[in-house]
Amino acid sequence: MLEWIAALSNPQPVLAVYGDTAPALDGVRIEELCLSTNGPTLRLRFDLAEFPINPPVKWRRDGLDVVQVEISFGGVRAISIDKFSVDSVCNLKIRKDRLVTFSSESDSVKLQGVAETATILRVSAYAMGCA
């Protein structure tokens, strides 16, 4: 199992779509970063680079080809966003020891932080041409 999946409090939504071949977080496109004082919390919404081999029937029927994941990092202890641009493609890292650490560094995104939890809020899909 990939390290980021093990860091989640609820990996089931991702595993339900990808099965035992959960995707890596390489080449993800960050679509939204939202900070809230409630928690404090960071909500991170991103597109995965890899589409599942056996997607849900509805996704295949509707011609959807990009999976989007939304994760909430709860109890944020530290966060740094040094770079974020329109071309927000990066390799995202999420790990859990005692706390959850997350980071990303690329030419367009530089992000790092520490939180108490990482929870999947939503796994959805859309057609690239309709985004």
Side-chain angles (χ1 to χ4, degrees):
M1 187 180 296
L2 293 171
E3 193 169 35
W4 79 276
I5 293 290
L8 300 170
S9 62
N10 63 334
Q12 301 83 1
V14 173
L15 297 175
V17 172
Y18 285 91
D20 293 335
T21 56
L25 295 182
D26 296 337
V28 304
R29 177 178 301 279
I30 296 179
E31 295 291 339
E32 182 179 27
L33 293 164
C34 183
L35 288 168
S36 170
T37 58
N38 185 16
T41 303
L42 167 68
R43 187 171 39 86
L44 182 64
R45 186 169 52 90
F46 56 90
D47 297 342
L48 293 170
E50 184 182 332
F51 199 72
I53 295 169
N54 294 307
V57 173
K58 182 180 190 308
W59 291 5
R60 185 176 294 137
R61 182 192 68 223
D62 294 346
L64 308 181
D65 57 2
V66 178
V67 175
Q68 191 167 89
V69 176
E70 191 171 341
I71 295 180
S72 174
F73 293 96
V76 173
R77 302 239 179 134
I79 188 165
S80 169
I81 303 169
D82 295 322
K83 198 184 295 183
F84 190 63
S85 72
V86 173
D87 182 29
S88 57
V89 176
C90 60
N91 294 340
L92 185 60
K93 295 177 183 156
I94 302 171
R95 295 186 175 93
K96 182 171 185 175
D97 188 11
R98 190 175 60 80
L99 296 171
V100 176
T101 60
F102 52 94
S103 65
S104 172
E105 189 162 349
S106 71
D107 290 341
S108 56
V109 179
K110 186 173 182 184
L111 160 75
Q112 60 185 6
V114 178
E116 293 174 10
T117 62
T119 305
I120 296 285
L121 297 177
R122 190 170 88 154
V123 175
S124 59
Y126 67 90
M128 179 60 85
C130 298

